[in-house]
Amino acid sequence: MKNKKTFFICIFPLAFIAVLLIIFSALGGINRTGYLNEIKLIKKNTYHFRINYYDKIFRNSDIYNVYLDTQRTINDNSFIKNIKMEKDGSPFGTLTTTKAINTKKIDNIKYTLKIKNTVYLYIIIIYVIIIFLYFFKHIKNASKTFINFVIVNKKTAMPVLVISSIFIILLLSLTILGSINRTGYLNEIKLIKKNTYHFRINYYDKIFRNSDIYNVYLDTQRTINDNSFIKNIKMEKDGSPFGTLTTTKAINTKKIDNIKYTLKIKDIVYLYMIMIYLFSIFLFYGILVVKENKLVLVSTSLLIIIQIFIYFSLYNYFRLI
């Protein structure tokens, strides 16, 4: 009974957190209405601004980053030529116009929200601390137990430690390599309406490209600067290789060459790794502490089922937004 209670204390918070994150992510992804204010002239026809909100809850906060629908804002305000946010998820940005702005705010803009990566990190830390405190009586001699376990089980423990180290190094290497500026091109350029085209990012690099591991991020400002006929670029969604661009003239070429892009490991990859890590901890605890074969078997089976369910739920959600 005690072991079952311990098992459910470990599992229920994990399942609750996963469901809560999915709900908050889905709510954040809904289009909401706000306005641009704190509009200040920087130089001729270039203004700094801040996104503000009518909604008192769903807004930029310690939980959410905010994402302005720049293309819709430009379409709804013909005097705006281009919008550039200060950084990913920031409420601050700059816009260039065809005339001076005499209003204090630009109303009826649309925005969405996305949970900050730091929130995931904090949740993991809090969860691990809670579990650590609950199991403190078992963990206080963990170092000695772990060392003895490694010494006694060299053949099994050492490979696990080596593989874990390689895995961490590989992850850091992929992150660093993905952040390097690389050269590609825009192709599959199709006219949607006058001077508005759909496109796809393509790559000269055969490895570092949009994939199941990486999202791709086009350097939109550099692409606009390098191609004077492009007025604005809007990606379909964060990390997508697809987008639309508006121009000052018709495009007669099949591709726009020498664009720059970077890569970022997909959130779902991190989330799946977290599930594997937590699963490993529970399995380790079950084998070394519980020592009841039936409970370990049931616990392991339930954990695998829950892990697969959460993975596919999160994968499908992130694939669709």
Side-chain angles (χ1 to χ4, degrees):
M1 183 64 69
K2 185 177 179 181
N3 290 329
K4 289 181 180 179
K5 180 182 176 182
T6 300
F7 172 72
F8 285 113
I9 286 172
C10 292
I11 290 299
F12 280 172
L14 181 61
F16 176 75
I17 288 168
V19 171
L20 200 63
L21 286 174
I22 292 172
I23 291 172
F24 270 85
S25 295
L27 290 172
I30 296 171
N31 260 304
R32 291 184 165 79
T33 303
Y35 57 95
L36 306 183
N37 76 339
E38 299 182 20
I39 299 170
K40 298 176 182 177
L41 182 66
I42 301 172
K43 57 184 179 180
K44 185 180 179 181
N45 290 349
T46 301
Y47 297 82
H48 186 270
F49 68 84
R50 176 177 183 150
I51 303 172
N52 263 283
Y53 322 90
Y54 292 115
D55 196 301
K56 302 297 183 184
I57 299 172
F58 293 98
R59 54 199 296 158
N60 177 255
S61 63
D62 292 334
I63 297 174
Y64 284 120
N65 279 326
V66 62
Y67 293 86
L68 174 67
D69 188 336
T70 54
Q71 189 59 55
R72 182 165 180 174
T73 304
I74 291 169
N75 292 342
D76 291 345
N77 300 274
S78 58
F79 60 89
I80 299 177
K81 291 171 59 180
N82 184 54
I83 296 175
K84 173 71 174 177
M85 305 309 296
E86 281 190 3
K87 60 180 180 179
D88 188 55
S90 171
F92 300 99
T94 56
L95 56 85
T96 55
T97 65
T98 57
K99 63 178 183 179
I101 299 177
N102 298 317
T103 57
K104 291 184 178 179
K105 68 177 182 178
I106 298 172
D107 212 352
N108 295 317
I109 59 95
K110 297 296 181 181
Y111 68 91
T112 54
L113 301 166
K114 185 177 177 182
I115 295 175
K116 293 182 175 180
N117 290 333
T118 51
V119 172
Y120 292 109
L121 178 61
Y122 293 149
I123 288 173
I124 294 165
I125 292 171
I126 292 169
Y127 179 75
V128 170
I129 289 173
I130 291 172
I131 297 301
F132 178 86
L133 293 175
Y134 182 79
F135 291 114
F136 182 73
K137 60 183 178 181
H138 298 300
I139 296 173
K140 56 186 176 182
N141 295 318
S143 297
K144 184 178 179 181
T145 303
F146 179 74
I147 293 168
N148 290 336
F149 176 77
V150 172
I151 293 171
V152 174
N153 302 276
K154 288 181 181 179
K155 291 184 179 180
T156 55
M158 288 308 294
V160 171
L161 290 174
V162 171
I163 291 169
S164 299
S165 300
I166 293 172
F167 183 74
I168 292 170
I169 293 169
L170 183 63
L171 179 62
L172 290 172
S173 299
L174 287 174
T175 302
I176 294 168
L177 289 170
S179 66
I180 296 171
N181 260 307
R182 299 179 193 278
T183 303
Y185 57 95
L186 306 184
N187 76 337
E188 298 182 20
I189 299 170
K190 297 177 182 178
L191 182 67
I192 301 172
K193 57 183 181 180
K194 186 179 179 181
N195 291 348
T196 301
Y197 297 83
H198 184 270
F199 68 84
R200 176 176 184 153
I201 303 171
N202 262 284
Y203 323 90
Y204 291 115
D205 196 302
K206 302 298 183 184
I207 299 173
F208 294 98
R209 53 198 298 158
N210 177 256
S211 64
D212 290 334
I213 297 173
Y214 283 123
N215 279 325
V216 61
Y217 293 86
L218 175 67
D219 189 336
T220 54
Q221 192 59 53
R222 182 166 179 174
T223 304
I224 292 169
N225 293 341
D226 291 346
N227 300 275
S228 58
F229 61 90
I230 299 178
K231 291 171 59 180
N232 186 57
I233 296 174
K234 170 70 175 177
M235 304 310 296
E236 279 190 5
K237 61 180 180 179
D238 189 53
S240 170
F242 300 99
T244 56
L245 56 84
T246 55
T247 65
T248 57
K249 63 177 183 179
I251 298 177
N252 298 316
T253 58
K254 291 184 178 179
K255 69 177 183 179
I256 298 171
D257 211 352
N258 296 317
I259 59 94
K260 297 295 181 182
Y261 69 90
T262 55
L263 301 166
K264 183 179 176 184
I265 294 176
K266 292 182 175 180
D267 290 339
I268 192 65
V269 174
Y270 290 112
L271 290 171
Y272 195 44
M273 287 191 301
I274 292 166
M275 297 302 163
I276 294 172
Y277 174 70
L278 293 175
F279 166 73
S280 301
I281 291 176
F282 291 136
L283 186 59
F284 180 80
Y285 173 76
I287 292 171
L288 294 185
V289 181
V290 177
K291 294 181 180 177
E292 293 181 13
N293 293 333
K294 289 182 180 180
L295 181 59
V296 172
L297 180 62
V298 172
S299 301
T300 304
S301 301
L302 284 173
L303 282 165
I304 292 171
I305 292 168
I306 290 170
Q307 180 181 318
I308 292 171
F309 173 76
I310 292 173
Y311 168 70
F312 281 109
S313 298
L314 290 170
Y315 176 79
N316 287 326
Y317 171 70
F318 280 105
R319 182 172 57 85
L320 293 172
I321 60 172

